[in-house]
Amino acid sequence: MDKFKLEILTPNGEIFNDDVVGVVLPGSEGEFGVLAGHASLTTLLEAGVVDVEKEDKSVESIVINWGVVQVDEEKVIILVEGAAPIRGENESEIAKALDEAKKLIEDVADSSSAIASVSAKIESAAQKLI
């Protein structure tokens, strides 16, 4: 299975750094996926959910407010202003992560439809964990 290195960085530090098989990103032109060997590109990211597919086929969702992604054939580096991973060992940790993610989006979203769309994705990601 082809994989590549994914790094997600914020001004406060690293959120994610591991080998993955795919990632779906909220680009300014819409969602797009990246697999190993993807053509090089640099583009802006909008508020939304980054879905990371790990080697074990599990998917981790990370909510971002905005940033930029740099893709080359061997690695993907995502630089974001703010990020909130949707993860936790139990329901209370997951609920806390959901609250942080929603607050992050509400702080930047300039339309209620954007908030609704991302909120729906956040809830969907959380349901997979519970």
Side-chain angles (χ1 to χ4, degrees):
M1 180 178 335
D2 288 345
K3 59 186 179 181
F4 59 92
K5 175 70 82 181
L6 173 67
E7 294 178 40
I8 302 176
L9 307 168
T10 73
N12 297 325
E14 193 172 77
I15 296 290
F16 188 94
N17 185 346
D18 205 356
D19 288 336
V20 302
V21 296
V23 62
V24 177
L25 301 161
S28 57
E29 304 289 319
E31 285 187 348
F32 67 99
V34 175
L35 300 172
H38 195 286
S40 296
L41 74 95
T42 300
T43 190
L44 293 173
L45 298 175
E46 294 191 337
V49 179
V50 174
D51 285 323
V52 179
E53 184 181 352
K54 299 179 182 179
E55 291 181 79
D56 65 1
K57 292 293 185 195
S58 67
V59 175
E60 180 170 340
S61 298
I62 301 166
V63 177
I64 64 166
N65 56 4
W66 64 272
V68 64
V69 61
Q70 184 175 5
V71 177
D72 68 32
E73 279 116 26
E74 293 162 12
K75 73 177 172 181
V76 174
I77 300 173
I78 302 171
L79 304 171
V80 294
E81 198 275 326
I86 307 297
R87 60 168 85 114
E89 297 298 317
N90 54 51
E91 284 192 37
S92 66
E93 285 182 18
I94 294 168
K96 185 175 179 230
L98 287 174
D99 288 343
E100 289 174 15
K102 288 176 183 174
K103 183 177 183 323
L104 186 70
I105 294 304
E106 288 167 1
D107 287 346
V108 299
D110 56 5
S111 76
S112 56
S113 63
I115 293 173
S117 171
V118 174
S119 291
K121 288 188 175 203
I122 292 169
E123 291 295 339
S124 172
Q127 288 305 313
K128 293 174 190 166
L129 294 174
I130 297 173

